Amino acid sequence: MAAPPQPGPYAPDLPAVPAWLNKGDNAWQLTAATFVGIQSMPGLVVLYGSIVKKKWAVNSAFMALYAYASTLIVWVLVGFRMAFGDRLLPFWGKAGPALAEGFLVARASFPATARRGADGALVAPRTEPYYPEATLVLFEFEMAAITLVLLAGSLLGRMNIRAWMAFTPLWLLLSYTICAFSLWGGGFLYHWGVIDYSGGYVVHLSSGVAGFTAAYWVGPRLKSDRERFAPNNILLMIAGGGLLWLGWAGFNGGAPYAPDITASVAVLNTNVSAATSLLTWTCLDVIFFGKPSVIGAVQGMMTGLVCVTAGAGNNILLLEL
């Protein structure tokens, strides 16, 4: 006797799915999360390990690797709900694990984004994307992880790995979760109407300020390193930078939480900005130093990616609003 057919995506009787689940939205958000992950692993791991002197290569790559892994564990244990959970304070959510099956398979939501009038009546419902909470946890983890990995760039050649191991979970919980909840999770900046399309404040400004401050307190690199800090592997540096550029499609394309027109425009704007900044920096190298520089080109590319992030899709987003 033949075995009964197993359920699957092409079976005559498809398995039941929740009415709120949009498979296209879910597929894109998982893809976007993977692209953002590529930026950190292996993108910035390779870039950091190759852009520093050879003696700092392993330490620099390990800083990025450790930040990525440690962020995931802290994120699912307490961090996600501090950044995107129920309101505890105007700038912080209630801590809690994001590991229970019932929580992960339920519809994704931002509970603190519900807007109420002065009389307490509901003015606008909370934001609820059309995919499960597990997808949202993954995507927002990738955004949190790359923030810490970007911060690590300010400390390459300056910080001992053991000090970095203690620093990463503390900064994630005491700084990143506050920034994320305040603006994206439904905190006071969100309700003031502040718009940060995909991390100009939550990711880049917070990591930049933290990196500048940390570099100040840790102190300068050794004098011999400051005098000449040439990359140990130019080709790997270009490869790491290329993965960073490729992954930015998920970084800005995943920000609307759906594969809509805003996502399409944002991804195009991201690539145009990166290419324009790379070419501008290269031309300036020729004008001021007489020849192009591949290091300058990579720096220009990264500058364009960072600068476009805060408003990559805002022109369409504001029209929709």
Side-chain angles (χ1 to χ4, degrees):
M1 180 182 295
Q6 297 297 314
Y10 304 108
D13 298 316
L14 296 179
V17 297
W20 48 260
L21 178 63
N22 184 303
K23 294 181 179 179
D25 284 13
N26 193 35
W28 166 242
Q29 208 64 31
L30 289 171
T31 302
T34 303
F35 273 116
V36 180
I38 287 173
Q39 292 181 279
S40 300
M41 288 284 299
L44 286 171
V45 172
V46 172
L47 181 64
Y48 286 171
S50 57
I51 204 170
V52 297
K53 281 187 172 183
K54 187 176 182 179
K55 68 176 182 177
W56 286 106
V58 174
N59 185 79
S60 299
F62 190 31
M63 285 177 68
L65 177 65
Y66 177 83
Y68 188 83
S70 64
T71 297
L72 176 56
I73 302 304
V74 176
W75 192 249
V76 296
L77 289 177
V78 292
F80 173 75
R81 288 196 170 184
M82 293 173 69
F84 295 96
D86 295 306
R87 179 190 300 266
L88 174 66
L89 298 170
F91 53 85
W92 230 349
K94 296 179 181 178
L99 290 169
E101 181 182 358
F103 174 79
L104 293 175
V105 301
R107 183 175 179 179
S109 69
F110 299 80
T113 57
R115 298 181 187 270
R116 296 187 177 275
D119 58 354
L122 186 66
V123 175
R126 63 186 182 181
T127 302
E128 292 184 314
Y130 294 99
Y131 41 77
E133 197 78 46
T135 301
L136 183 62
V137 172
L138 176 66
F139 179 76
E140 296 299 350
F141 148 68
E142 301 289 4
M143 300 293 280
I146 196 173
T147 306
L148 263 164
V149 176
L150 288 171
L151 195 166
S154 302
L155 299 169
L156 301 183
R158 299 175 188 264
M159 181 174 276
N160 181 295
I161 187 63
R162 286 173 294 180
W164 178 247
M165 290 171 68
F167 175 82
T168 49
L170 292 174
W171 189 85
L172 175 69
L173 293 177
L174 301 178
S175 181
Y176 181 82
T177 56
I178 293 175
C179 296
F181 183 82
S182 297
L183 193 47
W184 288 343
F188 72 102
L189 292 177
Y190 175 88
H191 290 286
W192 284 359
V194 177
I195 296 176
D196 176 9
Y197 175 75
S198 184
Y201 164 67
V202 178
V203 177
H204 296 139
L205 184 60
S206 66
S207 63
V209 171
F212 182 85
T213 305
Y216 173 80
W217 285 107
V218 171
R221 298 182 179 94
L222 297 175
K223 186 174 184 295
S224 58
D225 288 334
R226 297 200 306 273
E227 290 173 349
R228 180 167 176 77
F229 204 80
N232 70 82
N233 194 313
I234 297 291
L235 289 178
L236 279 180
M237 183 193 70
I238 297 172
L243 290 170
L244 193 68
W245 185 345
L246 170 69
W248 225 283
F251 196 100
N252 287 346
Y257 302 118
D260 54 15
I261 295 176
T262 301
S264 299
V265 174
V267 172
L268 178 60
N269 286 343
T270 299
N271 284 276
V272 170
S273 177
T276 302
S277 185
L278 186 154
L279 296 177
T280 300
W281 198 299
T282 301
C283 292
L284 290 174
D285 274 337
V286 173
I287 293 171
F288 288 97
F289 301 107
K291 60 180 181 180
S293 165
V294 67
I295 299 175
V298 172
Q299 290 174 328
M301 174 268 293
M302 294 176 65
T303 301
L305 292 170
V306 170
C307 289
V308 75
T309 294
N314 277 356
N315 51 342
I316 301 299
L317 180 64
L318 291 175
L319 287 174
E320 291 176 350
L321 293 175

